Amino acid sequence: MKKNRISRNYRIILSIARIWVVPFISLFFWANSAHAQTAMVNVQSRNPTNLNGNWQVIIDPTGIGDWKQVWQERKPQSKTDFIEYSFEGGPVLKVPGCFNSQMCELTYFEGTVWYKKQFNYSISDGKRLFLHFGAVNYIAEVYLNGQKLGSHEGGFTPFQFEITGKIKEGENSLVVKADNRRVKNGLPGTGYDWFNYGGITRDVELIETGNTCIGDYFIQLKKGSLDTVLGWVQLNGTRSKQDVEIEIPELKLRYKTKTNDDGLARVEFKSESQLWSPGNPKLYQVTVKSNTDFIADTIGFRSIEVQGNQVLLNRKPIFLKAVNIHEENPYRKARAYSTEDVRVLLDAAKELGCNLVRLAHYPHSENMVKEAERMGLMVWDELPVYQHIQFSDSLIPAKLEQMLHEMVGRDKNRCGVVVWSLSNETYPGTPNRNEALIEMTQKCHALDSTRLITHVINTQSYRDNTFDVWDPLYKYSDLVTVNEYIGWYIPWQGKPSETKWNIAFSDKPVFISEFGGEALYGNKNVPTDEACFWSEEYQEQIYKDQTEMFATIPNLCGVCPWLLFDYRSLGRMNQVYQNGYNRKGLMSENGEKKKAWYIIHEYYKKK
Ligand code: GCU
């Protein structure tokens, strides 16, 4: 009895936190962090000045640039003075874009590249100015006109600095240290199965706002509702008490409210909108106005929930026909970022017959999330909490919280995002792993109760053709999410059609988030029944067996082959068949469809 009362009280506290405490915390992150701030939402709608293009660089393999303080850009002060660094006379790199793909000397580089951008600016009176980065992998140190603005850790989420009063009228010099060395207590840690693309990998923009602007907002359907929008608008600046108006012209809807003393306005209104779905990816022009600011967004409305052992989209059961995607344009052999890059990946997912893309294993660019939503592809957004994480390290909790805020903060108004995945293949035996990830799950729920939350697990056992699936995190996850490679890393132990399953939390939907095996496209005249020859036929057989096994899985709500394209991963060192590529793609890095592609294509057509 006592336990029920506690859980009921816990639920009450959580629901209050959801609406009121959360935006306040995000404002705190935004306004007070000594490091970079949590970025404002929907930057593209603020008519930003982008600083993209050619940046001068100093390549600093020994990391001596810090000691030389290159950001000061000193010049000789006398006839006997000389300076042993300069941006002048050095190489130029394109921003955005990983540095690995721009200079052969940087192909495998893990270290520091100093970037410099000279730019002119003239700020209008009474305006504020923010410097916004879409992402820098992995650690960024940012200097403006020789003064340090701050730093940011994390290679896949946006951050910003307020530079009001720090920008000069006329010419300014921005220096960014980008260091892509892997970090033992990082997210991810030092070991991961993808290419470590470094540098300023996404847009750099200047955003000008009024003294009190709309810093953040959350506008989505209330959990479990098809016609009620629930959310909030958070102002940033001194004038806290203002009128707020949300307008959706196509619905002839105009909702008015007011902010409280903290600049926060609660939002709740009825909305008879067309619901977003893969078959009808309907998005509405939505404007958010305050007395001193105005922002336009394109927002869709849909409901995603788990009911019993099913996933419901807009209250109808849906089978998640997914595919894994890394953020790499296979043709450019580079970190993907542009709309053209993401269309390469998303068009291929559509052609395969998917209705969901799992953005492995880190938040992809905002272009990817927005384009997927426009194309009617649901999105699985994932944090780089990947395998070996030092959960006992004292700095990890703050890093986990920061990246959670940055991922949810950026994408919370994207109805296409239906899953927040908070970890991939971490291990129950790692000290403090369960505690840290359970806490993360609760924080994610408090930030956003409208989406599914999960952890990807591969600790199941497979013996006597029977899976025993259990992990402490499943209790806190909306899905039982399983990575399994039967037929590749682990041979079958019986007929796929006779596979048995013992699944703890058997009332939850089960999602197979990774499966597959490797093949080199066009690899002919080799034995097709031996894994070590990387034949397409061997991979094809894995897919035939896996799709047969899927019929044995109770509560199966979706599957997600690993993965769409062959992609670069330097640990894949078989120099006959891999050559630095993970060859589990259904397509080669040249876009050639392997035999296995047709198995999944056929399977999805029948779903
Ligand atoms: C793991 C992991 C992937 C990895 C894959 C593989 O399950 O999640 O990141 O690339 O297996 O071994 O290819």
Side-chain angles (χ1 to χ4, degrees), residues 192-194 326 358 360-361 382 386-387 424-425 456 458 483-485 488-489 514 518 562-563 567 569 572 582 584:
Y192 44 83
D193 189 19
W194 63 84
H326 259 299
R358 178 182 177 214
H361 286 289
E382 186 159 298
Y386 181 89
Q387 296 186 354
N424 179 74
E425 298 191 348
V456 179
N458 71 330
N483 285 354
E484 51 83 12
Y485 284 92
W488 180 249
Y489 291 125
E514 289 182 33
E518 300 210 10
W562 184 266
L563 79 166
Y567 71 100
S569 179
R572 306 296 175 162
N582 182 319
K584 296 188 182 71

Side-chain angles (χ1 to χ4, degrees), residues 386-402:
Y386 181 89
Q387 296 186 354
H388 297 284
I389 299 295
Q390 302 213 330
F391 288 106
S392 297
D393 184 286
S394 61
L395 297 178
I396 282 290
K399 293 182 185 181
L400 286 168
E401 174 131 29
Q402 171 213 315

Side-chain angles (χ1 to χ4, degrees), residues 286-337:
V286 177
T287 59
V288 183
K289 275 184 220 152
S290 70
N291 301 121
T292 55
D293 199 8
F294 166 94
I295 196 164
D297 203 342
T298 309
I299 293 180
F301 301 100
R302 56 96 193 93
S303 160
I304 189 79
E305 55 189 329
V306 162
Q307 209 163 66
N309 57 14
Q310 290 184 309
V311 170
L312 305 183
L313 177 70
N314 303 327
R315 292 213 187 122
K316 296 192 189 85
I318 186 166
F319 188 82
L320 305 178
K321 301 184 280 188
V323 72
N324 283 286
I325 295 181
H326 259 299
E327 193 175 42
E328 178 178 280
N329 180 326
Y331 307 117
R332 294 197 306 109
K333 295 177 174 40
R335 177 67 74 215
Y337 65 86

Side-chain angles (χ1 to χ4, degrees), residues 246-528:
I246 293 173
E247 197 174 353
I248 310 178
E250 192 177 339
L251 297 176
K252 297 183 176 48
L253 186 147
R254 186 186 297 255
Y255 169 79
K256 294 184 179 180
T257 181
K258 289 182 180 304
T259 55
N260 63 16
D261 291 337
D262 300 320
L264 176 67
R266 190 173 181 279
V267 167
E268 182 164 2
F269 57 84
K270 287 286 183 197
S271 134
E272 300 300 331
S273 61
Q274 281 185 50
L275 297 174
W276 183 95
S277 70
N280 177 28
K282 176 66 183 169
L283 299 172
Y284 288 90
Q285 294 309 314
V286 177
T287 59
V288 183
K289 275 184 220 152
S290 70
N291 301 121
T292 55
D293 199 8
F294 166 94
I295 196 164
D297 203 342
T298 309
I299 293 180
F301 301 100
R302 56 96 193 93
S303 160
I304 189 79
E305 55 189 329
V306 162
Q307 209 163 66
N309 57 14
Q310 290 184 309
V311 170
L312 305 183
L313 177 70
N314 303 327
R315 292 213 187 122
K316 296 192 189 85
I318 186 166
F319 188 82
L320 305 178
K321 301 184 280 188
V323 72
N324 283 286
I325 295 181
H326 259 299
E327 193 175 42
E328 178 178 280
N329 180 326
Y331 307 117
R332 294 197 306 109
K333 295 177 174 40
R335 177 67 74 215
Y337 65 86
S338 65
T339 302
E340 295 71 33
D341 284 340
V342 303
R343 285 302 300 240
V344 163
L345 300 166
L346 295 172
D347 287 344
K350 270 283 194 185
E351 187 186 5
L352 181 61
C354 300
N355 60 16
L356 184 145
V357 286
R358 178 182 177 214
L359 304 185
H361 286 289
Y362 38 77
H364 291 205
S365 71
E366 201 165 12
N367 290 332
M368 171 69 90
V369 176
K370 286 184 171 180
E371 202 59 26
E373 185 179 67
R374 272 194 283 269
M375 294 170 67
L377 283 164
M378 290 179 281
V379 169
W380 173 298
D381 230 338
E382 186 159 298
L383 286 178
V385 182
Y386 181 89
Q387 296 186 354
H388 297 284
I389 299 295
Q390 302 213 330
F391 288 106
S392 297
D393 184 286
S394 61
L395 297 178
I396 282 290
K399 293 182 185 181
L400 286 168
E401 174 131 29
Q402 171 213 315
M403 277 188 212
L404 176 68
H405 270 265
E406 291 172 344
M407 175 177 75
V408 175
R410 188 193 73 179
D411 295 342
K412 61 184 176 292
N413 293 308
R414 303 277 69 79
C415 73
V417 176
V418 295
V419 176
W420 300 123
S421 172
L422 306 183
S423 67
N424 179 74
E425 298 191 348
T426 60
Y427 311 108
T430 308
N432 201 41
R433 171 264 200 178
N434 296 344
E435 296 80 354
L437 293 183
I438 291 167
E439 188 181 356
M440 273 276 278
T441 314
Q442 289 154 352
K443 285 177 178 168
C444 190
H445 266 297
L447 279 175
D448 171 21
S449 67
T450 68
R451 292 174 172 87
L452 309 185
I453 297 173
T454 196
H455 294 271
V456 179
I457 306 292
N458 71 330
T459 51
Q460 65 279 353
S461 75
Y462 172 68
R463 271 192 298 274
D464 306 328
N465 209 24
T466 302
F467 279 92
D468 279 298
V469 179
W470 183 83
D471 187 286
L473 297 179
Y474 281 143
K475 180 180 175 188
Y476 305 90
S477 301
D478 291 308
L479 304 173
V480 171
T481 306
V482 178
N483 285 354
E484 51 83 12
Y485 284 92
I486 309 304
W488 180 249
Y489 291 125
I490 303 173
W492 290 99
Q493 294 175 4
K495 287 187 186 160
S497 59
E498 293 172 4
T499 307
K500 301 279 179 296
W501 293 80
N502 299 320
I503 300 177
F505 307 104
S506 55
D507 56 334
K508 294 188 178 186
V510 176
F511 182 77
I512 305 296
S513 41
E514 289 182 33
F515 65 94
E518 300 210 10
L520 174 63
Y521 174 79
N523 187 15
K524 300 190 184 321
N525 311 317
V526 293
T528 56

